[in-house]
Amino acid sequence: MKKQDWKFMQVFGDKASSDNVSDEDIISAVQFERTGRFLGLGDRAGRLIVFEVPQTKKKDKAEYQYLTELQSHTREFDFLKSTDIEEKINQVQWLRGQGKNMYVLTTNDKTVKLWKISEKNVTKVIKPSGKDLAMPKLQVVESGLIPSVRKVFPNLHNYHINSLTASNNEEFVLTSDDLKVYLWSVEQPSKAFVAVDLKPENLDELSEVITSSTFHPTLDNQFLYTTSKGIIKLCDMRKSGICDNTAITMAEPEDPAKKNFFTEIVTSISDACFSRNGKYIFSRDFLTVKVWDIAMANKPVATVQVFEPLKSKLCDLYENECIFDKFSIASTLDSNSFITGNFNSTFHVVDRMGECNQQYELNFNKKTIVRQIPPKYFENLGSSYDFNRKVQKLSMCQTQNLVAVACLNCLYFYTA
Amino acid sequence: MPKIENTTGMPINLIIDELKSDDIRKRIHSVKHLDLIASTIGPDRTKNELIPFIQELLDDDDEVLIELVDSLSRNFVELVGGQAQVLLPTFEALCRVEDASVREKAANQIKKCLTQLPDQKKVEELSIGIIKRLNDSDYYMAKNAVAILIPAIFNQVSQNNQNDLINIILKLSQDQIPQVRKFTSMYFQDLVKHFPLINETFIQNILNSFIKDEQDFIRMYIVDALIQSSKTPFFQKQQNFILNMFKQLAEDQSWRVRFYFCDKLAEIGEAVTKDGYRKNFQNYHLKFLQDAEPEMKSIAALKIERVSGLMDPEDILNKLIPLLKTIQSDTNAFVRNALASSVLALCPIIGKKNTSEQILPIFLTLLKDQDSEVRITLFKKLSLITNVLGVDSLSQSVIPALTELAQDKNWRIRASTIEVLSFFARAIGPEFLSDKVLKLLLDWMGDKVSSVRQTAIQQTAQLISILGLAWADKNLLTKIWAFQSIQNYLHRLTVLFTINQITSQLTNDYILKTIVPILQAMAKDSVANIRSNVCRTSIQLAKEKGGNIADPMKKILQTLSDDQDAEVKYQAKSALESL
């Protein structure tokens, strides 16, 4: 398999701002639009920021530029439970544009919204209708890209929404929280369908929660969801209404010999995705990535240690709670590799056989710093290893080998 | 047309201004009253000023646009002086919006406007123009309207234009965006009606490409197109093609497609006639009743009612009923509910003996179902089985079940059960309303929850209208009047509320003989609320009945105008004044 060499392309952010990051600027969601022309970013302050590649005559790889932003969600108070509902954007999904209009779905913990960003003229009445009942005279006060909320998907989830995906045909939206996976119709937000229900009869018996879900990249009737027990379930909406009973389960049986205090925590899957060709599933848990072949459900074809030195630091990670951090994963265009983030401003590109693990270090010097991580690698992680610089969110472009990687409040682009 | 009256309480110029208000509720209110604005300024100004101004409203929230299209759909052709074509640009613009219901309504309004234009050539020119512009639009959702409009005008345009339209449909059916293909599939049923103007090969090609489509919602609508084409001569010529395609859909791997097929079984049966149904589709229905997916079992059970008319009674006995025994104990309540709503339709078809042997056991099992909804659904169809087996034989099993529901912990269940009574009265007649059943009604009238009492009072009124005042008085009303002496004043109020509800059904004689003494007695009640309601009841009776009722009512009100309670006094006095 041809090794992919990723190179630094662009960065938004600099060292100064990155040293003093305010919590609200931390990027919490990244997503390319399907043509790759736009990129959407969500942050903890509830903002959606859109970047675009301006359409120029130049054919070579143009760079992204800031286009516009909007305040997607605001902090709310849940009166029933007496808790705050954070405005942090958990996920961003683009829908097909129409003409010059852009459509984006955003979600926080509770509410999904469909935003439309379009070139508009905002008008104001300057001369109202009088006794003659003439039509009011209008004047344009603002012109340009104006966002508006087109649809709000009513507050249905009892727990925090962890994933949001749109099907390829954009008829459906899949959202999941700890116990349920819902299927929404984009046309009619008032109709939601329960696709998976993990709620036990007695909540005290709860032992497994849903951690993420995603649609198949091309088949609109298939989706997967992952659980805290490291199980992946592949569901087919065509087979049945409630999809859980007919799902294919992919789980590796637990090896009792290797079990320790941390096993339960680190086997929880933080994110999973299909390979672009739909043949494989890449699932990320705290220490490893497992590559599954859809045709073989009893064991993964490869298990890759993302960065083994972390294994020896589990106690510290538990102390500073970084052991609960969730990392995203994405498949490359040729489906032969996957990309996932790590601590200390690094991300890894690994081939799906698990043979070649390359670690890239993010930096502000426009350099591509990469090193090979051999299997059974050990390194003493000293005090310079920064657990706060987490690369948790990334997004792969669907049309070219381009990945957007977010670390704290900075956004990096790498191409291959 | 007559001028529309301004009942809004606002001056017209303010309504006009609020079309651009920052408050969405005000915009909606103004849009609702567009006809008022148009009527006030007259047809010429509506045409020249209002309609162009509406262009400024098109970039608004879905809620406003829904009101807008509804508003323009009412009498606006008259409001623009009968010139329907003036409205076409606005509706064309509304065909481009994101909300599907607005687009569909706008397209239908374009259809309506076109039918009101006298010049056929003009109609052709305008419609082709609209269709082509929408088809070429950047907004792919505009093609929805194209799929709606083409079948509507197809047979009114020239051969050349028809060829163009065919090509447009062909391209839409192969569009890479699934929603566009969906629009084409949904409305293809309207296009096939034009056979033989639409030729055979074209229909077959389009349907063949749809059936191979991987999107469920595109294959689904083929069912409708096939049903419609079966009603045209296309059916005689291509019977095998149609039947084979139906079968593919019935066996589709996606349950949603099978569901849609099953939902339309009755229409399919009508289209292919009884013989066709029995030979080709009956087995599918029976298979669906055993499908692994509960939604499939549910829709198949629901359709028993309509499909049974197509089946041979022998088949019903030997093939259908054995399957129902598993369904009656299905774990999903909605499946059992579906069965409850349609199984009794089999009784008249299979006759008394078979009903007694085969359906009665199922009926009795469902009657004891743990889910109250199932039991209530069953009750609503009770007449179907009592007509065949007779009321008496059933009352032994039905009455206890009814009693249990009547005392259900959930007040909503109790309220729903009450409504069942008028079904009985209408379908079966007074014999069913035996002492036991009437006792239930009286218990409901004394229920703790006021909604239940309300419903019971309404049912009483219904029963009187079905069974007559004489029957009601003898069996029911006398007992209700006895509530007067209950200690809890809420139940004494029930007496008055009942009188209010049944006023229109009472004769003056009855009122003089029975009601007046009641009111006189209650006017001396110790609770002021009661006396206050006596005022209300008296004034209602006086106004509705008049004649010889007015005087006794006045006397009662006069007594109450000296009442010690200020509220009662005021009510009585103003009541007297209004008389």
Side-chain angles (χ1 to χ4, degrees), chain B residues 82-131:
Chain B
Q83 299 179 41
Q85 73 270 24
V86 166
L87 299 173
L88 289 174
T90 314
F91 286 129
E92 185 180 330
L94 284 168
C95 285
R96 279 192 272 265
V97 303
E98 281 123 20
D99 187 281
S101 67
V102 175
R103 291 197 304 264
E104 281 174 27
K105 285 186 187 169
N108 285 326
Q109 284 305 308
I110 293 181
K111 274 162 61 173
K112 201 171 130 200
C113 287
L114 290 171
T115 58
Q116 304 200 353
L117 296 177
D119 185 353
Q120 200 49 38
K121 270 203 96 191
K122 193 87 179 141
V123 169
E124 182 164 349
E125 194 189 303
L126 286 170
S127 55
I128 298 289
I130 293 174
I131 289 173

Side-chain angles (χ1 to χ4, degrees), chain A residues 71-72 113-116 147-152, chain B residues 61-62:
Chain A
Q71 185 70 37
S72 170
K113 293 187 185 175
L114 175 62
W115 285 92
K116 171 178 161 186
S148 59
V149 180
R150 293 315 296 187
K151 291 199 161 67
V152 177
Chain B
D61 285 346
D62 286 344

Side-chain angles (χ1 to χ4, degrees), chain A residues 103 120 169 220 238 241, chain B residues 17 59 98 179 214-215 293:
Chain A
Y103 297 93
K120 274 211 296 205
N169 61 12
D220 304 291
R238 282 188 184 166
Chain B
D17 284 336
D59 191 17
E98 281 123 20
Q179 275 83 356
E214 56 167 42
Q215 298 293 339
E293 169 59 38

Side-chain angles (χ1 to χ4, degrees), chain A residues 96-101 103 116 118-121 123-125 127-138 148-151 168-172 183 187 193 218-221 236-242, chain B residues 12-14 16-17 19-20 37 40-41 45 49-50 53 56 59-62 65 96 98-101 103 138-142 176-179 182 213-217 219 252-256 258 293 295:
Chain A
R96 205 177 269 116
Q98 279 196 96
K100 292 213 180 98
N101 299 340
Y103 297 93
K116 171 178 161 186
S118 53
E119 288 270 354
K120 274 211 296 205
N121 293 328
T123 55
K124 183 179 81 169
V125 176
K127 183 167 174 249
S129 177
K131 282 222 179 82
D132 57 352
L133 299 181
M135 296 298 126
K137 286 230 179 344
L138 302 174
S148 59
V149 180
R150 293 315 296 187
K151 291 199 161 67
N168 195 32
N169 61 12
E170 296 185 0
E171 282 280 307
F172 301 111
L183 203 64
E187 273 283 310
F193 189 68
T218 49
L219 299 178
D220 304 291
N221 50 299
D236 187 335
M237 298 194 310
R238 282 188 184 166
K239 290 205 192 123
S240 55
I242 301 273
Chain B
I12 306 267
N13 63 324
L14 188 57
I16 296 178
D17 284 336
L19 284 170
K20 288 302 265 178
I37 300 174
T40 313
I41 62 176
R45 288 189 65 193
E49 293 171 42
L50 181 60
F53 186 72
E56 303 287 339
D59 191 17
D60 205 330
D61 285 346
D62 286 344
L65 294 178
R96 279 192 272 265
E98 281 123 20
D99 187 281
S101 67
R103 291 197 304 264
D138 273 343
Y139 291 69
Y140 70 82
M141 291 185 177
Q176 51 144 339
I177 298 178
Q179 275 83 356
K182 177 175 88 165
D213 201 299
E214 56 167 42
Q215 298 293 339
D216 295 349
F217 51 68
R219 298 197 303 282
D252 196 286
Q253 53 167 328
S254 170
W255 70 269
R256 285 187 169 89
R258 300 199 301 273
E293 169 59 38
E295 296 277 350

Side-chain angles (χ1 to χ4, degrees), chain A residues 123-178:
Chain A
T123 55
K124 183 179 81 169
V125 176
I126 50 167
K127 183 167 174 249
S129 177
K131 282 222 179 82
D132 57 352
L133 299 181
M135 296 298 126
K137 286 230 179 344
L138 302 174
Q139 190 187 59
V140 175
V141 291
E142 209 184 323
S143 186
L145 285 176
I146 312 281
S148 59
V149 180
R150 293 315 296 187
K151 291 199 161 67
V152 177
F153 292 71
N155 199 339
L156 187 62
H157 285 271
N158 284 330
Y159 307 97
H160 291 183
I161 298 177
N162 52 44
S163 303
L164 164 74
T165 2
S167 63
N168 195 32
N169 61 12
E170 296 185 0
E171 282 280 307
F172 301 111
V173 164
L174 198 72
T175 56
S176 54
D177 63 22
D178 286 338

